[in-house]
């Protein structure tokens, strides 16, 4: 399968990514998962990956019963590494995963699911040596 399929007019279709990373819209600032991880790690040595949703330029995502971040998932390429789930109102979408890789399956990838605004993705390149 080549590339991703995404219909432009339906936020709940496919995976959302910013249209212009240098010029984020408010909806993108609220939903883009931010990834903190080293650029380079050693094979089989544990390291931490931090994930935060919202707060870019002070634009927070709502956190209430009717509108909240349901979960975040971390992948190496398409290889699943971990998942954290949140309640609406009481827990905030921040996660730290401790992982180790024997090789990079691709860039680190995070999917984030908002109950109203669907699935959002961000990636970060990482070298395993
Ligand atoms: Fe949302």
């Amino acid at each position: 399968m080549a590339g991703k399929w995404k219909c432009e007019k339906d936020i709940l279709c496919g995976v959302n990514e910013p249209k212009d990373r240098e010029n984020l819209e408010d909806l993108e600032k609220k939903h883009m998962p931010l990834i903190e991880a080293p650029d380079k790690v050693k094979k089989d040595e544990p390291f931490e990956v931090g994930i935060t949703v919202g707060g870019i330029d002070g634009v927070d995502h709502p956190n209430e019963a009717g509108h909240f971040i349901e979960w975040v998932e971390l992948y190496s390429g398409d290889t699943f590494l971990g998942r954290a789930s949140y309640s609406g109102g009481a827990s905030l979408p921040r996660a730290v995963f401790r992982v180790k890789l024997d090789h990079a399956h691709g860039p680190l990838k995070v999917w984030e699911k908002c109950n109203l605004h669907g699935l959002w993705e961000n990636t970060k390149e990482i070298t395993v040596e």
Side-chain angles (χ1 to χ4, degrees):
M1 189 167 69
K4 289 180 191 165
W5 198 87
K6 166 92 184 110
C7 51
E8 287 298 313
K9 292 183 181 145
D10 186 355
I11 201 165
L12 298 179
C13 169
V15 181
N16 298 290
E17 290 175 283
K19 294 176 191 78
D20 175 3
R21 284 179 182 267
E22 303 303 313
N23 220 341
L24 296 177
E25 298 172 2
D26 276 1
L27 188 73
E28 296 165 340
K29 290 177 182 175
K30 287 180 196 175
H31 291 95
M32 262 263 291
L34 297 178
I35 305 170
E36 304 148 51
D39 295 328
K40 190 188 292 185
V41 296
K42 290 195 172 136
K43 178 179 184 245
D44 291 327
E45 227 170 69
F47 63 98
E48 292 190 345
V49 180
I51 300 168
T52 306
V53 181
I56 299 175
D57 296 338
V59 182
D60 288 324
H61 188 275
N63 184 33
E64 52 203 39
H67 186 192
F68 66 103
I69 304 303
E70 296 180 309
W71 48 260
V72 296
E73 290 181 343
L74 174 65
Y75 296 81
S76 170
D78 289 329
T79 300
F80 177 77
L81 298 178
R83 179 183 232 250
S85 301
Y86 305 97
S87 68
S91 58
L92 299 168
R94 162 84 183 150
V96 177
F97 293 97
R98 189 163 169 79
V99 298
K100 66 181 178 71
L101 297 171
D102 63 0
H103 66 282
H105 305 260
L108 290 172
K109 180 175 81 181
V110 171
W111 276 0
E112 170 270 297
K113 174 70 167 51
C114 168
N115 72 320
L116 291 185
H117 298 110
L119 198 57
W120 292 75
E121 177 180 301
N122 200 3
T123 58
K124 182 187 187 305
E125 292 297 331
I126 190 166
T127 303
V128 180
E129 48 177 48

